[in-house]
Amino acid sequence: MRKGLWIPVSLCAALILQVAFILQSPTAEAAGPNLIANPSLENGTTAPNNWIKNSWGQNTATFTYKKNEGYQSSRSVRVQLSNYVSGDAKWYFNAVNVEPNTTYTFSDYYKSNKKTKAVAVSYDAAGAPTYTDIALNIAASNTDWKQVTAKYTTLASTKKLSVFHVIEQNGWLQIDKASVTKDDVVPPTPANSVPNPSVEASSGTPAMPTSWHTGSWGSNTPAYEYVNEGRTGNRSVKLTMSNYVDGDAKWYFEPQQLEKGKDYRFSAWYKTNTIPNVVVRYITSSGTDRYFGMPRPEPNGTTNWQQYSDTFSVPEDAQSVTVFFFLSSNGWLQLDDFSVTPYQTVGFSRPLVSLTYDDGFEENVTTVLPRLNGANIKSTQCYATQFIEGQPAQVQNVMAFKNSGHEICSHTVTHPALSQLNTADLTYELTHSKQYLESTVGLPVTSFASPFGDYNAAVNNEIKKYYRSHRTVDEGYNSKDNFNIYKIRVQNMQATTTLAEFQGWINKAKADKTWLVFVYHRVTPGEPGQFDTKESDFVQQLNALVASGVTVKTYNEALNEVIPQL
């Protein structure tokens, strides 16, 4: 049986020293360009270019250039200290040119099993250093990437600046995605488009938050609460789901008019004992609903408020928009402090498009392959090997794509929901599909696409052991500011996708210089299923893609181009 794609149906020590220390999950928005070369450590062989390793004192330091263990990228650096008596150890970037008497913001992402600290190193014209602690007692974080941010105002004599994130006790420290930016005038806080964003205002009997609604569908029992406790203020909203069979339930704010064709950041704070979903609901000019699946939250506990933050784009035909969490399993979810604010995408050197195909092995060798070859376009074909292994005709189809220069990608063995598997079964799905495909095509298989787009942090940690990247079905565009090599975003092709939608996605990728990844399934001359594409529609889409002039690369080739730009 051919499986379909999961998509939600309903519905981010000097007089003039200034120090600020923040630990947070969302990415801090930089005021100016990053002065560090190779900030995400992606470029290098045995060590990252533009980075130095150093230790002093009495200790044993082991330095590692990690592969497939980065924050939103594939590389990071790690230092481990043992036999510690004195001194410290660190990886640090080559000093950058800075201006005197000027405030700069440093940040990096880190994991560690011990407290660490950050030290600003200011060099004068003769190269003499001045050391200033700018962040002390940086909390340990064994499993989750955290961000440290600190401000430093340079001295009158400063010509160059580096920052050492150091460990000075037995333990380990891993860092990635470092940044030094010059502080500019703080821009005004962007307007929040969410009405009653902290759900403090209420009306009615019983009281309900003004401009907020509840909704559910399917077979389940939702309970909605307007709670007298909040992350800020005195109120929040809560949803408890029981007797779940199917469908979902949610709190959502009144749909708002947003600027068409623009990008926005959605943020909210939550507590939960399950894993919710997040979706954007567009109400179109014709009055119909469309839904945009955002990356799922990754809760790390049930008692503390956590922030969810991610971006979305408003299509040209959207008359109003709302964004909400929903539950599609038993459990509870509490929410507060919502925002939707304008957002500026940071693009690459040029736009790119990749065409990927999941499970579409039935007719695609005849409906897709000749047309792609005729247009000199190479695709990425993702296979669940259960439907190929032991079937010579299907193996021949795979080889037809491979022999024409198309990339072969793993899509597991049996196409399961990966988050529901135990560790042994998950390992089998990831490794056997890779091994079988590699033995069949005689090439490395480094790209992976998750069935149904179903994954969580534990699944991604396993994927990292075997694959270079992970392509999801989370919708959107891949850019410098949101890039996560194990959460690659896509646009999902369905039988209902219009040519105008397809062209709109390409036009936006061109305008913003992002990497646009399409997910197709079966391309059929017959009646398409929900996640299939009619052959005549595919021909029009391919013609539009060629006419756009955008460079099309296989998924892996596109990664090779964008990663050095991070």
Side-chain angles (χ1 to χ4, degrees):
M1 177 188 300
R2 186 173 65 88
K3 305 287 186 172
L5 164 73
W6 179 87
I7 293 180
V9 178
S10 80
L11 313 111
C12 109
L15 292 176
I16 52 176
L17 174 67
Q18 296 179 0
V19 177
F21 175 44
I22 307 167
L23 289 177
Q24 56 189 24
S25 293
T27 303
E29 302 299 334
N34 189 355
L35 301 180
I36 301 173
N38 195 22
S40 291
L41 306 146
E42 295 298 298
N43 300 321
T45 52
T46 58
N49 300 337
N50 199 59
W51 286 77
I52 301 167
K53 55 188 178 184
N54 173 266
S55 65
W56 68 276
Q58 187 176 345
N59 55 69
T60 302
T62 302
F63 297 91
T64 310
Y65 187 24
K66 305 292 287 185
K67 183 177 182 181
N68 295 333
E69 290 188 32
Y71 172 78
Q72 296 186 339
S73 59
S74 61
R75 306 302 295 264
S76 60
V77 289
R78 176 175 168 133
V79 57
Q80 181 149 359
L81 274 187
S82 58
N83 305 313
Y84 182 85
V85 177
S86 62
D88 67 40
K90 64 272 184 184
W91 286 90
Y92 63 97
F93 57 90
N94 287 339
V96 297
N97 295 323
V98 293
E99 300 172 14
N101 300 322
T102 303
T103 301
Y104 291 83
T105 298
F106 161 78
S107 75
D108 70 21
Y109 284 82
Y110 74 94
K111 293 190 220 177
S112 65
N113 68 341
K114 300 292 183 178
K115 289 183 178 180
T116 57
K117 75 176 183 180
V119 182
V121 188
S122 174
Y123 298 92
D124 63 18
T130 299
Y131 301 90
T132 304
D133 292 344
I134 59 173
L136 299 171
N137 297 316
I138 302 173
S141 179
N142 283 357
T143 58
D144 296 325
W145 287 100
K146 297 293 184 182
Q147 186 184 34
V148 57
T149 301
K151 291 186 180 294
Y152 174 69
T153 301
T154 55
L155 308 174
S157 59
T158 302
K159 297 295 184 182
K160 290 180 177 288
L161 176 68
S162 189
V163 178
F164 299 168
H165 190 165
V166 308
I167 185 167
E168 46 189 0
Q169 57 183 311
N170 288 332
W172 59 268
L173 167 65
Q174 190 169 348
I175 64 173
D176 194 7
K177 198 172 184 180
S179 174
V180 169
T181 59
K182 178 183 176 182
D183 283 12
D184 294 327
V185 176
V186 178
T189 301
N192 185 356
S193 294
V194 178
N196 192 17
S198 293
V199 297
E200 295 296 307
S202 64
S203 60
T205 305
M208 286 283 287
T210 304
S211 301
W212 283 80
H213 306 276
T214 60
S216 67
W217 70 279
S219 179
N220 55 72
T221 305
Y224 304 96
E225 298 176 71
Y226 190 25
V227 183
N228 290 317
E229 176 263 336
R231 175 184 168 269
T232 60
N234 302 309
R235 291 286 204 170
S236 60
V237 292
K238 187 174 182 179
L239 165 65
T240 302
M241 178 75 85
S242 58
N243 304 315
Y244 181 82
V245 178
D246 59 22
D248 68 44
K250 59 268 185 181
W251 284 92
Y252 66 97
F253 61 84
E254 187 73 27
Q256 302 294 301
Q257 288 188 342
L258 300 178
E259 190 172 354
K260 299 174 182 179
K262 298 298 183 180
D263 297 325
Y264 288 82
R265 178 174 290 280
F266 168 72
S267 173
W269 291 79
Y270 71 98
K271 293 191 283 189
T272 187
N273 68 343
T274 184
I275 301 179
N277 294 277
V278 181
V279 71
V280 186
R281 174 193 173 199
Y282 303 115
I283 303 173
T284 69
S285 53
S286 63
T288 59
D289 289 348
R290 291 219 314 269
Y291 298 94
F292 174 99
M294 299 181 72
R296 298 186 75 179
E298 295 184 357
N300 55 22
T302 62
T303 59
N304 296 322
W305 287 101
Q306 301 167 68
Q307 188 180 31
Y308 176 89
S309 181
D310 215 292
T311 60
F312 65 94
S313 304
V314 180
E316 293 293 342
D317 63 344
Q319 295 301 301
S320 58
V321 181
T322 186
V323 191
F324 52 84
F325 287 68
F326 69 87
L327 288 185
S328 55
S329 62
N330 289 330
W332 60 266
L333 170 68
Q334 190 171 354
L335 299 158
D336 199 5
D337 293 338
F338 299 79
S339 70
V340 170
T341 55
Y343 177 73
Q344 181 61 55
T345 296
V346 181
F348 296 108
S349 60
R350 64 174 180 172
L352 291 173
V353 168
S354 294
L355 304 180
T356 68
Y357 295 78
D358 293 357
D359 314 325
F361 49 80
E362 294 95 335
E363 297 104 332
N364 286 7
V365 71
T366 58
T367 59
V368 172
L369 180 58
R371 291 187 170 92
L372 292 181
N373 288 347
N376 196 28
I377 288 176
K378 305 305 180 187
S379 67
T380 297
Q381 303 288 325
C382 302
Y383 295 101
T385 56
Q386 170 181 280
F387 309 113
I388 304 168
E389 199 165 358
Q391 301 185 52
Q394 296 296 345
V395 173
Q396 186 176 4
N397 291 345
V398 174
M399 292 304 295
F401 275 100
K402 179 263 181 184
N403 291 336
S404 294
H406 298 262
E407 180 188 3
I408 303 303
C409 157
S410 171
H411 198 41
T412 71
V413 178
T414 65
H415 205 289
L418 294 178
S419 67
Q420 306 304 308
L421 300 182
N422 60 40
T423 301
D425 289 342
L426 176 59
T427 299
Y428 172 76
E429 293 287 341
L430 297 176
T431 58
H432 182 74
S433 57
K434 177 181 174 70
Q435 292 163 357
Y436 174 76
L437 289 171
E438 289 181 338
S439 66
T440 299
V441 302
L443 293 171
V445 173
T446 61
S447 301
F448 179 79
S450 53
F452 313 108
D454 178 66
Y455 70 92
N456 55 27
V459 169
N460 254 347
N461 285 338
E462 289 300 306
I463 293 171
K464 291 176 183 178
K465 296 178 181 179
Y466 310 109
Y467 297 95
R468 181 189 190 188
S469 66
H470 169 212
R471 197 224 67 206
T472 70
V473 297
D474 299 335
E475 293 176 298
Y477 306 81
N478 302 284
S479 54
K480 285 185 180 182
D481 48 292
N482 73 5
F483 193 86
N484 188 329
I485 199 168
Y486 288 100
K487 292 183 182 180
I488 297 299
R489 302 160 191 254
V490 305
Q491 295 293 350
N492 296 294
M493 302 300 295
Q494 300 188 57
T496 55
T497 300
T498 66
L499 183 59
E501 286 180 86
F502 184 83
Q503 290 177 317
W505 291 330
I506 294 174
N507 291 340
K508 182 162 180 58
K510 287 181 67 175
D512 296 339
K513 294 184 179 180
T514 54
W515 176 30
L516 169 59
V517 180
F518 286 109
V519 177
Y520 283 92
H521 286 75
R522 186 182 202 171
V523 177
T524 177
E527 190 63 27
Q530 179 181 358
F531 304 112
D532 299 335
T533 299
K534 194 169 181 62
E535 186 177 12
S536 57
D537 291 341
F538 175 69
V539 171
Q540 291 183 323
Q541 293 158 8
L542 187 60
N543 289 339
L545 177 57
V546 172
S548 74
V550 177
T551 299
V552 183
K553 291 194 170 188
T554 67
Y555 175 88
N556 203 40
E557 289 171 341
L559 281 177
N560 290 340
E561 178 168 331
V562 301
I563 285 175
Q565 300 179 50
L566 298 175

